[in-house]
Every structure is written in structure tokens, then in C-alpha cells.
Amino acid sequence: MAEGVVISPAWSEMEQQGWKRLTGTWIMVMLLLFPILLLLGAFMRTVQANLWPTLPPEWFYAVMTLHGLGMVGTWFVGAMAAVSYVLTQYVRPSRVISWAALGATLLGVLMLLATTLIGRFGVGWYFLYPLPFYSGGYWPPWATWTFLFALTILGVGWTIWAVDLLRAIAQRYSLRAALAWHYIRGKTEPEIPPAVLITTVSLISALSGFLAAVVILVLSFLEWAGTGFTNDALLMKNLIFFFGHVLVNITMYLGVVLIYDVLPQYSERPWKTNRLVAISWNTVLFLVLFAYFHHLYMDFVQPKWMQVFGQVASYFISVPAAVVTIFSTLLLVYGASMQWTLSSLLMYLGVMGWAIGGVAAVIDSTIAVNLRFHNTLWVPAHFHTYYLMGVVLMLLGFAAHFGREVSGRPENGRLAKLIAALFVIGGYGFLSMFYLGGAHSVPRRYAVYPQEVIQGVDYARIALGFIAVLLLGVLLYLWETGRRCALAFRTSEPS
């Protein structure tokens, strides 16, 4: 990497229009998939509420697989597209690569739709080994092949996309500068925007996760091709949870990039990199690689030191990234002449959702507690909190900001507050049923609850009411923001 500033990120008018059109396309894909995936989640709760007593349970697991993979993938690519747009202020990423990533994503989505809705492939989004290879007659062999090829296409497209963003950063900043190491030594030149620092940390971590995914796929293809090769189950579980944990956390961190870059525009206060921010995010770069150990507490053959280290890493990773960002957000807003628009409201609520979900995650990462909460509804409770009420709100906030900025159309202030209120009431009401179920040992991933935990049916039925409130909020949001994004897409056509 080169030292200091090498090129100017200045764009021609045609290039700027091209970026707006590309970002508008990504946002519309994201806004199209979100309500569909939300309805799939609602469908799962209707099954658990015993409203489809004659439905074969394999449908529940096929939908669970599509819902999980779809949500994780949608918000990852949404975050990547938003961060790419933000980074164009500082560096020159490739639009061609981003369009190619969009093509790979759409192809992968079509293949996943086929493998789950036609093939009824129902292993969950983590496809834990060796379940994909032992269908018990519930899905055909082609569904497993299609699933593995879909992941390969998505993985290749997203890896090239991440490498291109790092390339763009590397053309302007040295690695040491991009990681803001000079701030740690007490120097402030060259100035590094937080977006560059956090994106660099996130994408370096993401590449390690994608590398793990490559190893998983190669080992899976070797066994599935009938070579006689058999995988080590513990190794595969470590690789899968390393990949999954990193991907989900990186999506969160990319969402935080938007908070650092966009929210100050509404508070009229700058948010710059300083020594504390630099130390925090460099610590994340190290700890994010080991926190995934908390997913394997129940595996007695996992070395004990890894379990202990997993708990320690899970505790400490919440301090640098989350606590520093959360307190900084509060300081950014407190006493400021804050302009509360739909964008700033959702972004602020997203940070708070990240905080609440993070606390629940830290509780679950405690070994003594995890012995009770493992595989109960507490697990989807905490990850839905920092996902649905965290990064999703951050990205919806960015989409509202983008649509308003590019279309130039003012928003309806009362409608913005109503949407935010519906999100809060519907979202946290829905999540509270997960938390109550987890506290009462209701297991997750059950299509039908046995008599011992039949109270899970009541929690699912109450949750459906809150989901209806949330859906109303989503529909109003799509009306308010979707039409602005569509207008932004039309008006950004390169001349």
C-alpha cells in the first residue's frame, strides 16, 4: 500500500450519476426483499402458533432456511452497497465490480429459492455438517448441490467486492494509515475518516470469514462427490460458525460506518477519528476472530481453553466497538440542534437496538447462563434484536437519507414519527415474545411445540399481533421512502 494521499477521489458528473443509479438499484433490491423475507418469518410464527396443524413440518424448515439465509445475505449486500456509496467521498471503488456483485447476488438468490421452495432443502442458514448430506428423504440430492453452488457464487461475488473496496482504500491510504495506527501514537495526520478505518477493519475480517467459507465448500464438495473422504465434524462446525459469526458481525460494523458518516449531518457536529476510536476498532480486528467460540459451548470435545477464551473475547469485544460508539452517539445527539428526520430517527434507534441486543448476547455468551439458554428462543431473541432493531434500522435510515438527498423531495414529519413508533412497538413487542419464550426454556427451531413447552404456542400467537404492527410500519416506510428511492433511480440516469 502507498503512504498518504495518492489520488483524488474526484468524480465526473456522469460518474456521480452512475453511483447514484447503482446505489438506488441496490436499495430497491433490498427494499423488495425485506418485506418478502419478513413475511416468511411471520409464516414461521404462524406454524409455531399451530395455525397450520396439517402442514408438513419440512415446509417450516425450508422456509426457515430461506428466511435466515435471505436476511443475512440481504443486509450484508445492503450494507456493502451503502458503504461503497459513502466511501466514494474518499476513494474510488469500481462500479463494474459492484454491478457484478449485484448479478452474482441475484443469481445466488434464484438458486436458493429453487433449493428451498422447490427442493424443500431445510438445514437452516448455518447448514451444520453433516445435515446437508443426510436428508432422510426430505429433499433430493440436486437440492444439496444447488445449495452448495449458490453459496459458491455468492461467496466469489462478495469476496471480489470486498477485495475491490480494500484496493480502493489502499490506493489512497497505507495499511497503517487506514487502520489509524498513527492516532494511537498520538498523531492526527493524515486525517482518516472513521468510515475508512471501520471499513478496513470490517473487510479484513470479512475476508478471513470468506476464506473459511471456501474451505467449508471445498471439503463439502470432496465428501459429497463420493471420493470416500469424510470430514471432521468438529472442524466443520468451527469453520461454519467462524464464517457465520464474522459475516453477521461485519454487517453490523458496516452499518455502524453509516452512523459515523451520516448521523453527524443531522446533528451538525463532526464525528472524527481520535485515539480512542482507533484503539477500539483495532481491538475489534483481533477479538472478532475469536468471539465465535461461544457458539460451541455445548461441544464437550472442544478444548476447554477455547471455551474460556470465547467467553472472555465475547465480553471484551462489546466494549471497544459497541460501548464507544453508543456513548459517542449519545454525546453527538445530546444538546445538539438535532434534525429529527426519518433517517436520523431510524439510525439513532438502530444504535439503541444494537446496544440492547448486545447486552442480551453478552448474557448468552456467559458459559453458566448458556447452559440454560442454549438453543432456546433466547438465541433468536438477541440476534433479532441487534439485527432487526439494529443494523436493519441503520440501513433503512441510510435508504431514507439517500432517497431524500438524491430526489430532493421533502418528507412528511408526522408520518416519519409514526413509522418510527410502529417499528418500536411492533419490533420490541415481537422480540419480547422470543425473550419470554427463552426465559421459559421454549426451544428454537421447533415447528411444533411438544406438550412440555406448549406455552410457546401462546407466545407465537401474541407475537403475530406485534408482527402485524411492524408490517404496517414497513408498508408505510416503503410508501414514504420507496417512492423517493424510485425517483432517485429515475433521475440519476447517466446522460
Side-chain angles (χ1 to χ4, degrees):
M1 288 186 173
E3 287 284 346
V5 177
V6 175
I7 62 169
S8 167
W11 301 93
S12 68
E13 179 66 26
M14 181 177 290
E15 288 174 323
Q16 290 179 33
Q17 292 297 96
W19 272 108
K20 289 174 182 175
R21 192 170 185 79
L22 171 61
T23 307
T25 305
W26 272 113
I27 287 177
M28 285 195 290
V29 170
M30 185 177 77
L31 296 184
L32 174 66
L33 292 176
F34 178 41
I36 296 173
L37 294 167
L38 198 62
L39 287 172
L40 291 178
F43 168 78
M44 292 165 59
R45 288 305 259 165
T46 63
V47 176
Q48 292 176 325
N50 202 21
L51 300 183
W52 306 85
T54 59
L55 185 78
E58 55 264 33
W59 274 110
F60 173 87
Y61 296 106
V63 169
M64 183 181 75
T65 303
L66 181 58
H67 171 76
L69 282 167
M71 282 293 189
V72 171
T74 296
W75 299 114
F76 174 74
V77 296
M80 284 285 286
V83 166
S84 298
Y85 183 71
V86 165
L87 284 179
T88 58
Q89 302 170 81
Y90 316 110
V91 298
R92 295 181 65 89
S94 166
R95 269 188 297 138
V96 173
I97 296 293
S98 186
W99 278 113
L102 177 61
T105 300
L106 294 177
L107 178 59
V109 167
L110 288 175
M111 295 173 73
L112 290 176
L113 286 171
T115 192
T116 51
L117 298 184
I118 300 175
R120 298 191 193 182
F121 188 73
V123 298
W125 82 271
Y126 36 82
F127 54 99
L128 199 58
Y129 175 86
L131 188 55
F133 306 132
Y134 297 94
S135 71
Y138 287 105
W139 60 82
W142 69 260
T144 301
W145 279 108
T146 306
F147 175 77
L148 294 176
F149 278 115
L151 292 191
T152 303
I153 291 168
L154 292 171
V156 170
W158 296 351
T159 300
I160 293 173
W161 198 9
V163 169
D164 178 69
L165 288 184
L166 286 174
R167 172 204 59 76
I169 293 172
Q171 280 188 321
R172 181 164 183 178
Y173 304 98
S174 70
L175 178 60
R176 286 175 297 176
L179 291 173
W181 287 354
H182 54 290
Y183 283 85
I184 299 173
R185 297 195 304 272
K187 298 179 180 178
T188 56
E189 293 294 337
E191 183 178 349
I192 305 298
V196 171
L197 165 62
I198 302 170
T199 303
T200 304
V201 168
S202 301
L203 295 184
I204 290 174
S205 303
L207 290 181
S208 67
F210 290 144
L211 178 62
V214 169
V215 176
I216 294 166
L217 290 171
V218 169
L219 293 176
S220 297
F221 279 122
L222 279 175
E223 180 169 340
W224 189 236
T227 60
F229 173 78
T230 303
N231 282 291
D232 181 282
L234 185 61
L235 172 64
M236 292 293 276
K237 189 170 184 180
N238 271 275
L239 288 168
I240 288 170
F241 276 104
F242 175 76
F243 160 68
H245 186 86
V246 167
L247 185 66
V248 169
N249 276 268
I250 293 313
T251 304
M252 281 296 321
Y253 299 153
L254 293 176
V256 172
V257 169
L258 308 175
I259 299 296
Y260 274 82
D261 205 272
V262 176
L263 201 55
Q265 298 177 36
Y266 294 94
S267 68
E268 297 183 357
R269 285 176 173 173
W271 195 345
K272 297 186 176 182
T273 301
N274 55 37
R275 191 176 195 179
L276 183 60
V277 170
I279 292 173
S280 299
W281 286 99
N282 278 275
T283 307
V284 167
L285 180 60
F286 172 73
L287 290 178
V288 75
L289 303 179
F290 303 101
Y292 87 93
F293 287 150
H294 63 231
H295 291 286
L296 289 94
Y297 287 158
M298 295 296 111
D299 294 270
F300 63 90
V301 290
Q302 185 88 334
K304 186 176 180 180
W305 68 266
M306 294 174 78
Q307 312 287 35
V308 174
F309 194 52
Q311 177 171 315
V312 173
S314 301
Y315 278 17
F316 281 96
I317 199 170
S318 62
V319 176
V323 174
V324 170
T325 301
I326 292 161
F327 277 99
S328 298
T329 302
L330 294 174
L331 289 174
L332 187 77
V333 171
Y334 181 73
S337 302
M338 196 70 191
Q339 186 184 355
W340 288 112
T341 64
L342 181 58
S343 174
S344 57
L345 275 171
L346 293 182
M347 286 194 162
Y348 184 78
L349 290 172
V351 175
M352 297 306 112
W354 183 29
I356 296 167
V359 170
V362 168
I363 291 172
D364 192 40
S365 69
T366 305
I367 294 174
V369 177
N370 190 269
L371 286 171
R372 303 288 183 187
F373 282 173
H374 189 81
N375 271 341
T376 69
L377 286 179
W378 188 274
V379 180
H382 76 67
F383 72 66
H384 275 81
T385 306
Y386 58 67
Y387 230 69
L388 177 64
M389 300 307 290
V391 69
V392 171
L393 293 190
M394 294 176 192
L395 287 167
L396 293 181
F398 173 80
H401 170 77
F402 175 85
R404 183 166 173 257
E405 180 185 73
V406 177
S407 72
R409 283 196 171 184
E411 66 180 32
N412 183 328
R414 288 186 177 179
L415 185 58
K417 290 174 183 172
L418 174 62
I419 292 170
L422 290 172
F423 277 165
V424 170
I425 296 169
Y428 283 108
F430 154 68
L431 292 169
S432 65
M433 294 302 106
F434 272 155
Y435 281 113
L436 282 172
H440 289 90
S441 301
V442 177
R444 64 169 175 157
R445 305 192 194 112
Y446 272 44
V448 179
Y449 291 121
Q451 195 60 38
E452 292 79 1
V453 287
I454 200 64
Q455 68 268 36
V457 172
D458 294 329
Y459 293 136
R461 289 178 176 174
I462 297 171
L464 287 172
F466 287 112
I467 291 173
V469 175
L470 179 61
L471 273 172
L472 177 60
V474 171
L475 292 175
L476 291 175
Y477 171 89
L478 292 175
W479 168 255
E480 179 69 359
T481 297
R483 57 198 177 108
R484 282 193 184 79
C485 289
L487 178 62
F489 176 81
R490 289 197 299 272
T491 56
S492 61
E493 184 175 4
S495 56

